[in-house]
Amino acid sequence: MRRQIIAGNWKMHMLTDEGRELAEALVGLGAEVPNVDVALCPPYTALTAVGAVLAGSKVRLGAQDVFWKEKGAYTGQVAPSMLVDIGVSVVIVGHSESRGRFGVPEPDMDDVVLAHFGDSDRTVNLKLKAARRAGLTVICCVGETLAEREAGDTDRVVTRQVEGALAGLDASTLDEVVLAYEPVWAIGTGKTCQTVEADRVCGVIRQAVGVLFGSDCAEAMRIQYGGSVKPANAAELLACPNIDGALVGGASLVAADFAAIVKAGPTAA
Ligand code: 13P
């Protein structure tokens, strides 16, 4: 059975003190739920403070993005080795927000704002490979927009994103890659993908991995669901055969809610 992994993506929330406090409330989960991998992904600015709280525990420290170059004149970017240097062991790449694909753009989110988030399948692939070279566990997000779903393109879009993200990767490095199915329209909207459909699309993603790397790799690949995961729907989602964890946004900012989600999985007891 695949080991479940629950990650909290704090997005652009939490000043240092707030992050430290939230981490202090959650650090015990590592010992309390030893059969589940747990990661907290604060913004870059809170990584060190949160890392100090998590040090010595089984709860892992994650970042929300990474650049693919090792060093150089790349103002504003953060290299994989810089994350490792401060104790980060997990990184999210290809989040729909980093790709400029928002489920509910805020009213002031015009084209200038959206163009700022320019990840493509190609840059996601570069980030994923660089992160793996540095030894980081990678959570790579894929998912369709509402327009793509309504056009009947869901399977094609997620398959293309998986192929793009994993292109050129050696199968031997895949054990530390986690895929996250995050339907864009379900992120931060309160609309969860129906459990049966979430499991089906995770199956499509698993199939795409199988075509690329063979059935053993596909069977071993951990695939999370993300998009309005809450304590109320977590158990049902995590019980699905193709869903091996959750990538949690809003609910990961509330200690009790995130802890309840971590404990909701079939192997948590
Ligand atoms: P919500 O849980 O807030 O919908 O966010 C999901 C997400 O984007 C996690 O990466």
Side-chain angles (χ1 to χ4, degrees):
M1 191 170 195
R2 293 176 292 267
R3 192 177 160 82
Q4 297 230 328
I5 173 166
I6 314 288
N9 175 8
W10 294 2
K11 306 193 180 183
M12 200 173 74
H13 295 281
M14 299 286 157
L15 298 178
T16 304
D17 282 348
E18 297 167 321
R20 192 181 289 120
E21 203 175 306
L22 181 54
E24 277 164 0
L26 295 170
V27 65
L29 283 172
E32 227 182 308
V33 194
N35 296 328
V36 176
D37 287 338
V38 180
L40 305 183
C41 307
Y44 288 133
T45 48
L47 280 170
T48 302
V50 170
V53 176
L54 302 185
S57 82
K58 289 181 70 184
V59 178
R60 298 174 68 179
L61 182 64
Q64 298 173 18
D65 202 356
V66 68
F67 194 55
W68 58 88
K69 297 281 190 181
E70 256 320 302
K71 59 174 73 162
Y74 303 104
T75 302
Q77 301 303 310
V78 174
S81 60
M82 294 170 176
L83 295 179
V84 172
D85 186 42
I86 57 164
V88 170
S89 67
V90 178
V91 67
I92 298 168
V93 301
H95 194 282
S96 57
E97 287 152 15
S98 311
R99 295 179 194 245
R101 290 155 58 85
F102 288 81
V104 266
E106 287 169 20
D108 63 347
M109 203 174 259
D110 57 20
D111 288 351
V112 178
V113 180
L114 290 177
H116 180 79
F117 302 96
D119 257 335
S120 63
D121 288 344
R122 176 93 180 101
T123 60
V124 171
N125 177 246
L126 289 167
K127 289 177 175 185
L128 196 158
K129 287 194 284 198
R132 284 303 301 121
R133 276 197 300 277
L136 292 160
T137 298
V138 181
I139 296 174
C140 176
C141 306
V142 300
E144 82 287 359
T145 62
L146 187 59
E148 289 163 344
R149 168 160 288 268
E150 286 174 350
D153 275 346
T154 298
D155 297 6
R156 196 183 56 77
V157 168
V158 297
T159 299
R160 189 208 72 217
Q161 289 176 335
V162 169
E163 289 168 354
L166 301 182
L169 237 84
D170 193 299
S172 65
T173 112
L174 283 181
D175 55 340
E176 290 302 331
V177 174
V178 176
L179 296 173
Y181 170 51
E182 295 212 321
V184 178
W185 49 271
I187 295 175
T189 58
K191 289 183 200 157
T192 325
C193 189
Q194 293 274 320
T195 306
V196 173
E197 175 62 3
D199 187 53
R200 187 194 71 78
V201 182
C202 288
V204 169
I205 291 168
R206 194 174 303 289
Q207 216 170 359
V209 174
V211 170
L212 292 169
F213 297 101
S215 55
D216 286 355
C217 275
E219 266 313 298
M221 174 65 68
R222 293 190 292 176
I223 303 174
Q224 295 174 313
Y225 169 79
S228 299
V229 177
K230 308 279 180 234
N233 59 23
E236 191 179 318
L237 286 160
L238 294 172
C240 292
N242 274 306
I243 298 179
D244 310 311
L247 185 54
V248 187
S252 75
L253 302 174
V254 180
D257 287 358
F258 186 69
I261 292 168
V262 169
K263 292 174 187 171
T267 59

